[in-house]
Amino acid sequence: MDAVVAKPQSFKSDLKPVWCPGCGDFAVLSAITRTLTELGLPPREVALISGIGCSSRLPAYTSVYGFHGVHGRALPLASGLKLARPDLTVLSVGGDGDGFSIGGNHFVHACRRNVDLTYIVMDNSVYGMTKGQASPTTEADWTGSKLTPEGPGLAPFRPLEMALSSGASFIARAFSGDPLELTRQLCAAIEHRGFSFVHVLSPCVTYRPEQKGWRARVHGSFEAPTADRREAFLRLLDDDGFATGILYQGRETPFQPTAQATAPVAALGAQFAV
Amino acid sequence: MTLSSVSIALTGSGGAGVMTAGQILLDAAAKAGFYGLMGRTLGPQIRGGESAALLRLATGPVDGPDDGYDILLAFDWGNIERFQDELPLNTGGLIIADPHQGAVPDIMLTGDDIRTAMVPFHDLAKPIAGGRVNMVGLGLIAALIGLDPAFLLDRVARQLAGKGEAALEASRAALAAGAAAAADIAGVSPLAAPAPRTGDRWSITGNDAAGLGAIQGGVRFCAAYPITPATDILEWLAPNLPKVGGTLVQCEDELASINMIIGSSFGGTPSLTATSGPGLALMTESLGLAVASETPVVVVNVQRGGPSTGIPTKSEQADLNIAVNGLHGDAPHVVTAPLSIGDCLFTTQWSVHLAEAMQTAVIVLSDQTLGQSRAIIDPPADLAFVGKRRVPERIEAPYERYAVTADGVSPMALPGQEGGAYTGDGLEHDPVGHPSTQTAHHQAQLDKRRRKVEGFDYGDHWAEVDGDPDADIAIVTWGSTAAPAREAMARARALGFKVRLVAVRLIHPVPVDRLRYALSGVSRVLVVEQNHDGQYWRHLRAHMDLPGTVAALHRPGPVGLRPREILARLQSQ
Ligand SMILES: Cc1ncc(C[n+]2csc(CCOP(=O)(O)OP(=O)(O)O)c2C)c(N)n1
Ligand code: SF4
């Protein structure tokens, strides 16, 4: 890059995050601001939309336009914004509870709708904000929550499989502890035309301290992105949940109905004349 | 003798074509210079099943049904017991039925002086190649009420456009056969001649009118999830929004549709969705978000019988409680209600203006009766209300999105605007928009959000006030019940009673001072509405003391309140 438009710092607000020291979400915030800098996007033309959760606090820590909505509804809010304002770069961020539990229906439909926006889920397999309950991606035998003392007893969701089967046209996974790879993926995701889903393993050091060991578990085993859904499904069958990289990038046409006005408003009433 | 209004019910099972016949009759009457309206009642079947077209034709504007029907034409009696209570006959009413469909059921003969005429519609249609019974029926009705059949034929020809001369000829013959049969039926007074038409008239449903009002108010984005009886608004907007450069998107559910319009509105596009009770219930959390984040949105809620799935195809005014009180926290917002089928246009357009001007959520309480009835109206005047948001012209750092202003409205930067970046938030916040749990911030923001809607100048549009300024008694009503209330007042005045009518368009916040002024001098108030619990009556009482003795007339649907019931209460109170 020859002309540096904005430094990462210029995308950060002066608000101090509420996050616990060591939370994985700090690195995601930095990767997002770095990505916006690298892409040279004017801050005023970017919007960051979130729901509720620790991770969903992120928009206010940036200097772009943001919206911190209600729990689980970030994706429809982001989609409405992008559909009405295709000129903007729209990102949506949140947690695994926000995106896969209360917002699960919107997640699969956003994948299917394929609006040109980027969805970043900071997955820590726990509800951080409400102090440590199981989420849809929590292991069946995790007994750390008083709400499910025997463990949730359910097989965790596999978000990449959900995204692929629902029609997402860009699917990737990154680890918040590898900001360079995360930034690379975010750049590709934003440049991709269509719905891009970046699944970020982002440890909750407070309620899942064992996740500090994730660094040793992640491995970059998705090869170069494929545009072949069969190939992508095959890769996912072998996925242990810690493979990183861009899994799939298809060429599905983004959904963006736009209309040029063809009639003055005053002409509409004529259809009712008798 | 001639009549100024005649009410006609056409009933039959699916396939009889009563809705088509009803619409042709209404539009033909409009062509001939009459006014009128057509409601409909449908059984629970998805397709087919019993249905009735409920018409009223008149020499002057009408916006609600009469007490009963003067003529009931039954092509058959399939399942009549399921909706017979929606088809009351006026004294001396005439039932016309096909003898081959069996005798007139006893339950239809309970009124006073009911007469019957048997006409073999099927036999009359049979010899005509392609002849349809509904056309025979139309010909008969037109002859009875004195409507020139040329107007019918003109509408039929439009409907059959492209189907060839033979089809039109079949209709012509069927209409003539019906007209000939009318000669055997005596004692029906025709309509008086209408005043000559001076310009166009519109034939429009309340739901289409709401759609047009939305666009005229500036709405350019709509997110949709289908639900009876609101779907028609969405289906009208789908092809019409793109004509003016707008977009409609079908969503996965109402949680999505309300949040999509919050998103599009955050981007600066005036936005609306339409739903009915169950959908409104799903939207309430996010309506609170619109209030707290000060993002303008409009929800047109076309009420149906509730609670739960209730009576989805029939009308009731029972969502007032949830519309007014359904949001959690102290969440000042606006609730409006259209006062007639045609007024769905004005009220929706005005509501877009209110939402944009105050940067808040506005819920429009229409209902199935208004939404799915079609009326012949004079084309509405051009309205000045186009949603206009206060946007900062020059932004100085730090930009305070939620600045505490005198009128409570803070200039709202739109994405793309340099220096205006902020995070819209449902978390309580300081003036900049940063999350805050501080008492002072919470108090100041609660105050400003209330100030916005309570200090706003709603002008004269808050209600229609009509009747005698020196009356001792006033009817206070809202929504579709305004129509029978107007008629009850007219009848009372014809009997020499003095009555005042206050039909309220601004349901919430309660326009206390204006209401008090409108009711000054009366010593009796009758609050009229169509729900079981008296929701508006309780709402008013929670906010103000009504003058004198207060009585409430409220009963649930599905049968709409009739002028007679209101008049009886006026006389007995
Ligand atoms: C309708 C509703 N239900 C419940 C909550 C409480 N709540 C807040 S955040 C949250 C879960 C957050 O978990 P996640 O999305 O995984 O984010 P994290 O905090 O782990 O980043 C819940 C249940 C809420 N805010 N709204
Ligand atoms: S609770 Fe967990 S997710 Fe929330 S800020 Fe702390 S470490 Fe991060």
Side-chain angles (χ1 to χ4, degrees):
Chain A
M1 243 184 155
D2 31 38
V4 176
V5 183
K7 293 200 167 63
Q9 208 52 43
S10 74
F11 279 96
K12 280 197 181 157
S13 74
D14 47 15
L15 210 59
K16 190 173 165 298
V18 293
W19 297 322
C20 313
C23 176
D25 297 349
F26 282 104
V28 180
L29 170 62
S30 295
I32 289 174
T33 55
R34 185 176 303 276
T35 301
L36 297 176
T37 313
E38 281 190 17
L39 293 176
L41 293 165
R44 65 170 189 276
E45 285 168 18
V46 179
L48 249 168
I49 312 297
S50 68
I52 296 292
C54 299
S55 41
S56 293
R57 287 290 193 119
L58 193 142
Y61 307 143
T62 72
S63 61
V64 302
Y65 279 87
F67 204 99
H68 184 213
V70 294
H71 194 26
R73 317 291 164 216
L75 281 174
L77 211 145
S79 305
L81 177 60
K82 179 69 185 184
L83 289 167
R85 289 288 306 272
D87 56 310
L88 301 174
T89 299
V90 179
L91 278 64
S92 182
V93 298
D96 40 303
D98 195 70
F100 308 142
S101 190
I102 192 167
N105 194 34
H106 305 309
F107 175 59
V108 294
H109 284 277
C111 292
R112 170 175 176 243
R113 194 173 283 119
N114 199 30
V115 171
D116 182 19
L117 55 90
T118 297
Y119 184 39
I120 303 160
V121 174
M122 288 158 258
D123 190 348
N124 51 18
S125 304
V126 77
Y127 289 178
M129 177 129 278
T130 46
K131 305 199 185 306
Q133 298 79 22
S135 87
T137 55
T138 301
E139 306 83 329
D141 58 357
W142 179 69
T143 55
S145 164
K146 285 187 207 155
L147 199 55
T148 51
E150 312 291 322
L154 304 172
F157 265 156
R158 294 170 63 84
L160 274 60
E161 287 178 25
M162 290 168 68
L164 186 61
S165 58
S166 307
S169 61
F170 179 106
I171 302 168
R173 187 189 285 127
F175 172 47
S176 65
D178 184 355
L180 283 183
E181 167 65 7
L182 176 55
T183 306
R184 180 186 79 87
Q185 288 185 17
L186 291 179
C187 286
I190 292 171
E191 289 190 319
H192 171 77
R193 293 284 145 250
F195 184 78
S196 48
F197 169 51
V198 182
H199 184 224
V200 186
L201 302 172
S202 180
C204 172
V205 293
T206 300
Y207 297 107
R208 303 294 311 261
E210 70 280 13
Q211 289 175 350
K212 290 178 193 156
W214 274 0
R215 181 173 296 281
R217 293 186 66 183
V218 291
H219 53 97
S221 67
F222 290 144
E223 320 257 300
T226 176
D228 176 4
R229 283 163 59 82
R230 169 189 296 269
E231 165 65 20
F233 273 118
L234 286 174
R235 288 184 191 177
L236 286 177
L237 290 180
D238 294 330
D239 176 28
D240 64 353
F242 287 91
T244 59
I246 300 173
L247 169 74
Y248 175 77
Q249 183 164 16
R251 281 177 285 273
E252 295 84 355
T253 313
F255 178 70
Q256 183 68 60
T258 42
Q260 285 300 316
T262 54
V265 172
L268 292 181
Q271 61 190 288
F272 300 112
V274 274
Chain B
M1 195 183 89
T2 57
L3 301 174
S4 59
S5 149
V6 63
S7 293
I8 304 157
L10 307 174
T11 113
S13 313
V18 296
M19 292 305 163
T20 314
Q23 173 135 12
I24 290 172
L25 181 58
L26 182 69
D27 289 350
K31 271 281 184 211
F34 294 102
Y35 291 85
L37 54 83
M38 177 177 133
R40 46 181 168 159
T41 174
L42 300 169
Q45 288 86 350
I46 307 299
R47 276 195 86 97
E50 67 278 8
S51 57
L54 310 171
L55 288 106
R56 184 176 194 187
L57 305 177
T59 49
V62 279
D63 49 19
D66 193 359
D67 297 326
Y69 296 92
D70 303 302
I71 303 174
L72 185 151
L73 191 162
F75 290 108
D76 59 65
W77 294 112
N79 296 320
I80 191 71
E81 67 287 351
R82 290 198 202 154
F83 61 118
Q84 164 264 339
D85 57 349
E86 294 174 60
L87 303 171
L89 286 167
N90 282 334
T91 300
L94 172 67
I95 296 177
I96 307 171
D98 190 328
H100 299 313
Q101 300 294 326
V104 177
D106 285 343
I107 48 164
M108 300 307 299
L109 297 169
T110 51
D112 294 331
D113 304 327
I114 303 303
R115 297 171 301 143
T116 57
M118 301 311 265
V119 177
F121 295 107
H122 290 86
D123 289 351
L124 291 173
K126 213 173 274 164
I128 305 165
R132 290 177 44 85
V133 289
N134 63 348
M135 291 298 132
V136 179
L138 265 186
L140 176 97
I141 296 280
L144 287 176
I145 63 172
L147 176 66
D148 184 341
F151 292 111
L152 282 180
L153 207 60
D154 171 68
R155 300 313 294 183
V156 172
R158 277 168 174 263
Q159 190 128 61
L160 293 177
K163 294 211 173 132
E165 190 50 39
L168 188 59
E169 192 42 53
S171 295
R172 194 193 320 262
L175 290 171
D184 300 334
I185 302 174
V188 180
S189 307
L191 276 169
R197 256 178 68 164
T198 47
D200 260 347
R201 298 245 167 92
W202 282 11
S203 168
I204 193 167
T205 66
N207 278 345
D208 289 356
L212 181 58
I215 290 184
Q216 289 189 178
V219 167
R220 292 296 178 273
F221 187 85
C222 174
Y225 192 77
I227 182 166
T228 305
T231 311
D232 320 328
I233 298 182
L234 305 166
E235 288 178 343
W236 187 84
L237 283 170
N240 283 289
L241 263 176
K243 292 181 193 164
V244 294
T247 308
L248 176 139
V249 179
Q250 183 176 334
C251 296
E252 56 271 31
D253 56 28
E254 288 89 347
L255 302 162
S257 46
I258 183 72
N259 280 282
M260 273 216 194
I261 66 168
I262 293 174
S264 54
S265 177
F266 169 70
T269 306
S271 301
L272 166 147
T273 186
T275 189
S276 190
L280 181 64
L282 287 180
M283 290 179 189
T284 52
E285 184 198 17
S286 301
L287 281 166
L289 171 64
V291 170
S293 66
E294 305 199 38
T295 313
V297 291
V298 178
V299 177
V300 181
N301 183 64
V302 188
Q303 299 165 97
R304 60 193 220 179
S308 189
T309 311
I311 312 181
T313 51
K314 301 190 194 263
S315 206
E316 201 159 73
Q317 295 177 300
D319 290 349
L320 184 144
N321 280 350
I322 187 177
V324 169
N325 300 309
L327 313 192
H328 60 281
D330 291 313
H333 63 289
V334 178
V335 180
T336 60
L339 297 175
S340 69
I341 297 163
D343 188 56
C344 290
L345 192 159
F346 174 83
T347 296
T348 309
Q349 181 167 349
W350 187 54
S351 298
V352 177
H353 156 75
L354 297 179
E356 292 289 318
M358 285 182 262
Q359 301 177 18
T360 194
V362 179
I363 301 171
V364 182
L365 288 178
S366 179
D367 62 28
Q368 188 270 338
T369 296
L370 294 173
Q372 295 195 319
S373 300
R374 174 176 292 281
I376 306 301
I377 59 171
D378 292 314
D382 275 345
L383 304 173
F385 292 119
V386 177
K388 199 165 167 9
R389 215 176 280 187
R390 198 178 299 169
V391 175
E393 281 166 22
R394 216 175 324 103
I395 300 178
E396 281 159 30
Y399 166 57
E400 294 194 337
R401 162 65 187 104
Y402 300 110
V404 177
T405 57
D407 64 2
V409 179
S410 326
M412 178 176 183
L414 304 178
Q417 220 174 336
E418 187 65 48
Y422 72 97
T423 296
D425 212 322
L427 274 178
E428 191 54 284
H429 38 256
D430 66 11
V432 169
H434 292 159
S436 168
T437 57
Q438 287 177 36
T439 312
H441 289 145
H442 188 41
Q443 182 78 43
Q445 294 293 321
L446 286 172
D447 287 348
K448 91 183 265 288
R449 294 193 290 256
R450 182 154 296 285
R451 205 156 60 235
K452 280 196 305 189
V453 303
E454 293 199 339
F456 191 81
D457 180 7
Y458 296 89
D460 290 338
H461 310 293
W462 69 278
E464 279 177 14
V465 182
D466 202 359
D468 303 293
D470 56 344
D472 178 50
I473 185 162
I475 306 172
V476 177
T477 191
W478 65 284
S480 60
T481 314
R486 275 185 211 108
E487 190 150 346
M489 176 176 74
R491 291 188 200 175
R493 294 173 79 188
L495 294 171
F497 285 93
K498 287 188 171 169
V499 182
R500 201 179 304 169
L501 174 69
V502 184
V504 182
R505 192 182 275 119
L506 179 64
I507 303 298
H508 190 68
V510 175
V512 174
D513 292 339
R514 291 192 154 96
L515 253 169
R516 206 172 273 143
Y517 182 72
L519 295 174
S520 56
V522 307
S523 65
R524 291 174 296 158
V525 174
L526 178 64
V527 183
V528 182
E529 59 191 313
Q530 192 192 359
N531 56 57
H532 184 272
D533 289 356
Q535 298 186 6
Y536 187 54
W537 168 60
R538 288 168 198 264
H539 176 55
L540 284 176
R541 290 190 47 185
H543 288 268
M544 65 186 290
D545 292 324
L546 293 165
T549 353
V550 180
L553 168 56
H554 48 87
R555 61 157 179 77
V559 182
L561 279 146
R562 295 301 159 116
R564 175 174 54 198
E565 294 170 71
I566 302 171
L567 181 64
R569 278 301 287 271
L570 277 180
Q571 289 172 317
S572 70
Q573 198 194 343

